[in-house]
Amino acid sequence: AEEEAEEDPERSSEPPKILRMQTIQPEELSASYSSNSNEELLVLEYVENFRRQFVQLYPHRKELLLFPRNECGVEKFICTTVRPTKLEYNEIYDLESCALFVAEHIKYEHLWDPLILPKYIPSPTSVLNWQAGDCFDMSIVLASLLIGVGYDAYVVIGYAEKRICLADESVEPMVTHSRSRTSQSSSRGKKAQLKVIDGDVKEESVYTVKQRPVLDSAFVMKRDKFDRLDQELTKKEQESVPMFVEEEQEQEQEEDEYEGQRVHAWVLVRAGKREMIDNVFVEASTGKVVPTHHPGYKGIEAVFNHQNYWVDMQRVDDLKDISLALEDFNKWEFLFISSMHNGQRRNSTEETRPNRSPPSSPLDGKRVPTGSRRSAGQEGGGSDEHRVEGPEEVAEGEHILDLPPSWVDKLFIDREVFLRRYAEEAGEPKRTKDYKRSRVEHFAENSRRDGMTEMITLYSDLARTNMTEIQEYFANRKDKLVSRFRYFRAGKRIDSNRREHMIFENFDPGRPDALMKLVEKPDGRDFTFYHKATLDGMVNRIETFTRNRDPTKPVALHKVIETFEGHQSRVTYRSMTFEPIEPNTDAPPMKQQIDHPRKMTEKFERNSEVPADKDIAKRTFFTGSRPPRIHLIFHYGPGRITASTRTYITEKSLSGDEFSVQEYVVDPFAKPMRYTEQRDEYQLLTAAEKSLISEFREAEREAAKILESREKEEKEPGLLKSLHVQLQEKKVAEAMKPKEEESEAALKYDYLAPYLPKHAKQKALTKQDAQKVKDSCLKALKER
């Protein structure tokens, strides 16, 4: 502890918990916080008696945490500090979601001295108000909430390794909690669940089809071998420094002079209630749910809840060998017998009657003063003392001391505080957590201007200096943005604000342009739409550039691909390819590039009402070739393995454009086309070519409009307010209304207002005026 204090020069002389307790005003709290009732005093006397006997019988054992002082400096039995409460929020009704909420809502502070039990345990109400506490404070809050929603939860006092005591997850891989990030309603409706990736074991079947052998070239394999060797050498050079840092961190992690001695508290949830199948440990500082044989937990001294206190009497080397059957008197010593179920007491009484020896409890057979359960003082007996050999004697005639109710007020979290969720960090409600080569930052909803709720940063090194990916999640955005993924070049330190990296943006339904996903790459741009919300049924629009885009120069298009679903013309695909542009020359304006494409292609669905050899499957306009050509490919007919084709070649002359036809017909008995039919089809195709260019021009304008709107939305992001926030703002606005407006509003709905004289607002009515008003009202009533 002294070495840790020397390492932190800014560490104050008092723990943060003590500094917060010094600001408490006892008169502002309930009387139970600053005083003890007669029943509590009797319990404290009984517990103190138990403590003295336990210390005398087991001097080698660590001291038990039985009656620490609360925030008012009053000693309270630790079991009465647990206050089972069921809050009104359904989002924390389950185990995982409740544990995650406590870990995020309360800022974790490690124990001031890692080897000594804390002397002060404040109430859960103060911990929730402070939104800060150590492992004992957070575990008591979590146990109170879990018991309130029906779990069989206990606070465990024991020992854990250093990284658990410090809530250090920087050497562990990132474990994300799959919250719904699509919309506000869905994120509140779904439960937080741990994302666990398990390797699926696939069994080979006898009837599986054997894979065909891979035929490799000896020359290619030899050439690739040298390439792989070069890549491996380069990779080893790049990873040599990170591997060295990783080894150093592992060595530091292994070396801990207080191994197995660090005091810690966590939560035990036993099987049986709420469909729990197995016993699990819950770490309140991180919200993780782990099995009871987790290697990070080294030992248990005691467990307690709001009903009883159990001392572990098992001396096992490994925690996985410990029994968590608290009703077993041979392995757990309990303080209060009144908390035992009647069925358990009955069974234990029957088992210990006549021909069986009583359970060997560590404090059995010792002197017990009248009115107490057990004592472990001196051997022998007297007139005012008797011997207890098992719980059957207690059940028959002993005066049982009942545990008093909790002295803590019912837990309460204001809805506004609950929606803010996170404790204050750097002036804003957020939570930052470091993992191995990653960092996760959570923000409260609507606390940031851009609506960001979570940001995950991935790094290529353990020092977390070289970013490779940034994942951003949003909520309540007016532009329906829900997530953004940024990818950086490997091996280079790139500023996240630059635009020369890849960006993926995902949107919820509801945008006017029906945009679902936008991908911006150095050499292209992809648009994905909700095709049922678009007029033409567009699904994707993919733009590829001749070279990396430069914000200061026009984009040099290479190819544009658009796909459709449910198009009225049965179009499923169309693309436009452009002439390549020299590297050192500027690209012409976008309109000029679209008006002079190199090639255009369209694909169509099968129309069952038209014969296959007349139903066009694909048509390509070679506008950049000399001479220009139009190539048609028709659908496959039934039982055909080839399709008919037709090519129109434009021949320019002084008299006008002429064409020639090259045709391949699958059916040898088909009637050949006449010249007039070919001319009419050619004229339709030339008109379709011009129409296709105009459609691409319109699609380009729509894409540019989407990009322009995205820039405006990022500069001025708008957020949607929840119903709770709207009601709160309405209440505040009504409270700030001037009283004159309230009087005018009340006068508006006054039924006597039409009959009052005009000067009624300025001065009181005279007797004559009041009589006139009365007569007018009676007259109007009779005329109705």
Side-chain angles (χ1 to χ4, degrees):
E2 295 178 357
E3 292 180 0
E4 291 185 359
E6 292 177 359
E7 293 176 0
D8 190 1
E10 299 181 357
R11 190 175 182 182
S12 60
S13 58
E14 294 288 343
K17 182 193 295 189
I18 303 299
L19 299 178
R20 289 193 297 268
M21 290 171 55
Q22 293 175 356
T23 62
I24 291 291
Q25 301 295 331
E27 59 273 8
E28 297 179 358
L29 303 174
S30 301
S32 60
Y33 284 67
S34 54
S35 62
N36 284 319
S37 63
N38 293 332
E39 190 177 1
E40 288 178 310
L41 292 175
L42 182 60
V43 168
L44 289 177
E45 182 180 355
Y46 169 73
V47 174
E48 171 60 19
N49 184 29
F50 179 89
R51 187 195 66 81
R52 290 198 304 267
Q53 298 174 62
F54 186 84
V55 171
Q56 184 177 359
L57 290 174
Y58 303 99
H60 62 281
R61 292 282 298 269
K62 288 286 185 74
E63 187 174 354
L64 301 176
L65 182 66
L66 293 172
F67 39 85
R69 297 182 181 273
N70 66 356
E71 58 264 44
C72 297
V74 179
E75 289 184 347
K76 295 287 184 177
F77 182 41
I78 189 67
C79 290
T80 59
T81 308
V82 180
R83 181 61 162 90
T85 305
K86 180 181 178 182
L87 298 178
E88 59 182 350
Y89 310 110
N90 295 330
E91 294 86 342
I92 57 175
Y93 185 71
D94 290 328
L95 174 62
E96 291 84 359
S97 58
C98 186
L100 183 61
F101 171 77
V102 172
E104 294 177 343
H105 188 70
I106 301 175
K107 184 179 179 181
Y108 178 69
E109 299 171 348
H110 58 82
L111 293 176
W112 190 254
D113 191 328
L115 307 181
I116 301 177
L117 292 171
K119 297 180 180 180
Y120 293 89
I121 300 292
S123 64
T125 53
S126 297
V127 175
L128 289 174
N129 291 334
W130 295 333
Q131 288 189 264
D134 54 32
C135 56
F136 287 86
D137 305 332
M138 297 180 67
S139 297
I140 291 175
V141 172
L142 179 58
S144 301
L145 297 178
L146 291 177
I147 296 172
V149 295
Y151 286 98
D152 191 13
Y154 306 81
V155 178
V156 183
I157 303 174
Y159 309 95
E161 62 183 21
K162 181 178 180 181
R163 61 181 182 84
I164 292 183
C165 296
L166 301 180
D168 182 13
E169 299 177 283
S170 59
V171 297
E172 298 180 3
M174 180 179 60
V175 178
T176 60
H177 297 270
S178 59
R179 303 180 183 89
S180 174
R181 304 181 176 101
T182 54
S183 61
Q184 181 181 5
S185 60
S186 59
S187 63
R188 294 178 182 174
K190 291 189 178 181
K191 305 167 185 174
Q193 298 179 350
L194 290 177
K195 185 186 295 181
V196 182
I197 302 174
D198 294 328
D200 297 333
V201 179
K202 298 183 179 179
E203 298 181 357
E204 294 185 1
S205 176
V206 182
Y207 304 101
T208 54
V209 180
K210 294 183 179 180
Q211 297 292 334
R212 300 179 63 182
V214 179
L215 303 178
D216 293 329
S217 170
F219 171 76
V220 174
M221 291 176 64
K222 185 177 180 181
R223 183 188 61 186
D224 294 343
K225 181 180 179 180
F226 292 107
D227 294 341
R228 283 196 301 270
L229 289 174
D230 292 340
Q231 293 176 3
E232 290 176 0
L233 291 174
T234 306
K235 189 176 180 180
K236 285 182 180 180
E237 291 176 359
Q238 294 177 353
E239 293 181 354
S240 58
V241 176
M243 288 294 292
F244 179 71
V245 175
E246 186 173 0
E247 290 177 359
E248 285 186 349
Q249 290 191 358
E250 290 179 354
Q251 291 177 359
E252 292 178 0
Q253 180 185 355
E254 293 175 359
E255 297 175 0
D256 182 17
E257 57 179 336
Y258 302 134
E259 180 68 25
Q261 304 178 27
R262 293 181 178 270
V263 178
H264 191 62
W266 63 95
V267 174
L268 163 67
V269 179
R270 294 211 305 166
K273 294 185 178 180
R274 289 294 304 273
E275 300 180 357
M276 291 292 297
I277 301 176
D278 298 321
N279 300 332
V280 295
F281 286 156
V282 185
E283 180 56 46
S285 60
T286 59
K288 284 187 175 182
V289 180
V290 298
T292 54
H293 55 78
H294 190 278
Y297 299 100
K298 302 301 182 182
I300 295 178
E301 285 289 342
V303 299
F304 67 90
N305 62 1
H306 64 297
Q307 294 177 333
N308 211 335
Y309 191 99
W310 292 266
V311 182
D312 179 24
M313 308 309 298
Q314 309 168 68
R315 308 322 308 168
V316 295
D317 296 332
D318 198 341
L319 195 60
K320 67 181 180 180
D321 299 328
I322 195 170
S323 172
L324 297 175
L326 303 181
E327 59 277 3
D328 189 346
F329 305 139
N330 297 323
K331 298 179 180 178
W332 295 91
E333 176 67 22
F334 56 88
L335 264 71
F336 292 89
I337 197 171
S338 61
S339 66
M340 303 295 291
H341 297 292
N342 293 330
Q344 292 178 356
R345 277 189 284 168
R346 191 181 304 114
N347 295 337
S348 62
T349 302
E350 293 175 357
E351 290 177 0
T352 54
R353 284 192 194 267
N355 296 324
R356 292 194 181 180
S357 60
S360 57
S361 177
L363 302 186
D364 279 348
K366 310 303 178 183
R367 291 197 305 168
V368 181
T370 303
S372 66
R373 172 183 155 265
R374 300 180 185 178
S375 71
Q378 301 174 356
E379 298 283 348
S383 60
D384 59 342
E385 300 174 353
H386 63 275
R387 297 174 61 84
V388 176
E389 298 296 340
E392 68 279 3
E393 286 83 356
V394 178
E396 290 178 358
E398 189 76 18
H399 295 287
I400 299 174
L401 180 63
D402 293 330
L403 183 66
S406 177
W407 55 273
V408 180
D409 293 338
K410 184 178 181 181
L411 305 187
F412 172 76
I413 301 178
D414 186 69
R415 181 168 290 275
E416 185 176 352
V417 177
F418 178 79
L419 294 177
R420 195 165 60 239
R421 191 176 182 95
Y422 306 105
E424 293 287 337
E425 182 179 324
E428 62 175 334
K430 61 178 290 188
R431 181 175 185 255
T432 305
K433 201 70 179 175
D434 290 336
Y435 296 94
K436 186 176 182 180
R437 294 191 178 92
S438 60
R439 175 173 295 163
V440 181
E441 298 177 71
H442 296 282
F443 308 93
E445 286 190 7
N446 290 20
S447 63
R448 290 174 57 99
R449 179 174 171 269
D450 56 356
M452 186 184 299
T453 58
E454 184 178 1
M455 182 169 67
I456 302 175
T457 308
L458 304 181
Y459 302 87
S460 61
D461 58 334
L462 293 174
R464 290 184 289 274
T465 58
N466 188 14
M467 294 181 295
T468 59
E469 180 182 349
I470 296 180
Q471 303 175 10
E472 301 171 343
Y473 298 92
F474 305 86
N476 307 326
R477 293 265 301 215
K478 289 184 177 180
D479 57 2
K480 305 298 180 181
L481 178 66
V482 293
S483 62
R484 179 190 294 127
F485 300 87
R486 301 167 180 253
Y487 297 92
F488 301 89
R489 297 188 184 95
K492 297 183 180 179
R493 304 193 180 205
I494 301 177
D495 185 6
S496 60
N497 297 321
R498 290 179 58 185
R499 299 194 58 177
E500 286 79 12
H501 51 263
M502 192 181 301
I503 303 176
F504 287 77
E505 293 181 334
N506 299 304
F507 301 86
D508 265 343
R511 287 181 59 92
D513 51 22
L515 184 63
M516 182 173 67
K517 182 186 294 186
L518 176 61
V519 181
E520 295 191 26
K521 299 175 287 187
D523 58 346
R525 190 184 292 126
D526 298 350
F527 299 84
T528 305
F529 300 91
Y530 293 98
H531 65 277
K532 293 184 178 180
T534 58
L535 296 177
D536 55 358
M538 183 181 292
V539 178
N540 291 307
R541 175 183 169 88
I542 303 174
E543 300 177 356
T544 56
F545 307 143
T546 303
R547 55 173 178 264
N548 291 358
R549 63 178 184 273
D550 187 349
T552 60
K553 296 180 180 180
V555 174
L557 289 176
H558 170 66
K559 189 174 184 178
V560 177
I561 300 175
E562 296 176 350
T563 58
F564 302 87
E565 187 173 333
H567 195 277
Q568 59 182 359
S569 301
R570 299 179 294 104
V571 178
T572 60
Y573 169 94
R574 68 186 183 192
S575 64
M576 178 179 285
T577 308
F578 303 90
E579 294 289 346
I581 299 176
E582 297 297 329
N584 297 327
T585 58
D586 294 339
M590 188 63 63
K591 183 177 180 302
Q592 185 176 348
Q593 295 184 48
I594 295 177
D595 290 342
H596 300 85
R598 180 181 181 183
K599 184 179 70 172
M600 295 184 298
T601 303
E602 281 184 304
K603 296 179 182 179
F604 301 88
E605 292 178 345
R606 177 74 173 94
N607 186 2
S608 58
E609 298 178 357
V610 180
D613 55 354
K614 294 184 179 180
D615 188 13
I616 298 177
K618 178 181 177 180
R619 64 184 180 189
T620 306
F621 301 92
F622 295 92
T623 56
S625 61
R626 293 294 177 266
R629 294 180 293 114
I630 303 175
H631 184 63
L632 305 179
I633 301 177
F634 296 89
H635 282 280
Y636 290 88
R640 304 289 185 180
I641 62 173
T642 57
S644 301
T645 61
R646 189 178 302 121
T647 304
Y648 290 91
I649 303 173
T650 304
E651 300 176 356
K652 296 184 178 294
S653 61
L654 297 177
S655 59
D657 293 344
E658 297 180 357
F659 66 90
S660 60
V661 181
Q662 296 179 357
E663 187 175 10
Y664 168 74
V665 180
V666 176
D667 187 3
F669 304 102
K671 187 178 179 181
M673 290 183 64
R674 292 179 294 180
Y675 177 77
T676 55
E677 295 176 345
Q678 294 177 352
R679 183 189 59 195
D680 295 341
E681 186 178 39
Y682 175 75
Q683 292 176 355
L684 291 175
L685 291 174
T686 54
E689 179 182 345
K690 296 178 182 179
S691 176
L692 185 57
I693 291 177
S694 63
E695 290 177 4
F696 270 107
R697 193 183 300 119
E698 180 64 24
E700 176 60 33
R701 282 197 293 266
E702 292 294 331
K705 187 177 179 181
I706 291 174
L707 296 176
E708 184 179 354
S709 64
R710 285 294 304 126
E711 291 183 3
K712 292 181 180 179
E713 291 164 356
E714 287 302 317
K715 290 179 181 178
E716 300 178 359
L719 300 180
L720 299 173
K721 298 179 181 178
S722 63
L723 181 60
H724 172 73
V725 175
Q726 295 178 13
L727 292 176
Q728 292 296 111
E729 292 181 351
K730 186 178 180 181
K731 289 181 181 179
V732 173
E734 290 177 354
M736 297 179 63
K737 266 187 179 179
K739 294 185 178 180
E740 298 179 359
E741 296 183 5
E742 293 181 0
S743 61
E744 291 179 1
L747 188 62
K748 182 179 179 182
Y749 298 101
D750 189 0
Y751 296 105
L752 295 178
Y755 307 103
L756 294 175
K758 295 182 179 179
H759 61 80
K761 295 182 181 180
Q762 285 77 19
K763 59 182 181 178
L765 295 177
T766 61
K767 186 176 181 179
Q768 293 80 7
D769 293 337
Q771 187 63 37
K772 289 180 181 179
V773 172
K774 177 183 176 182
D775 296 340
S776 301
C777 292
L778 292 175
K779 182 180 179 182
L781 182 62
K782 292 177 182 179
E783 292 177 354
R784 288 180 61 181

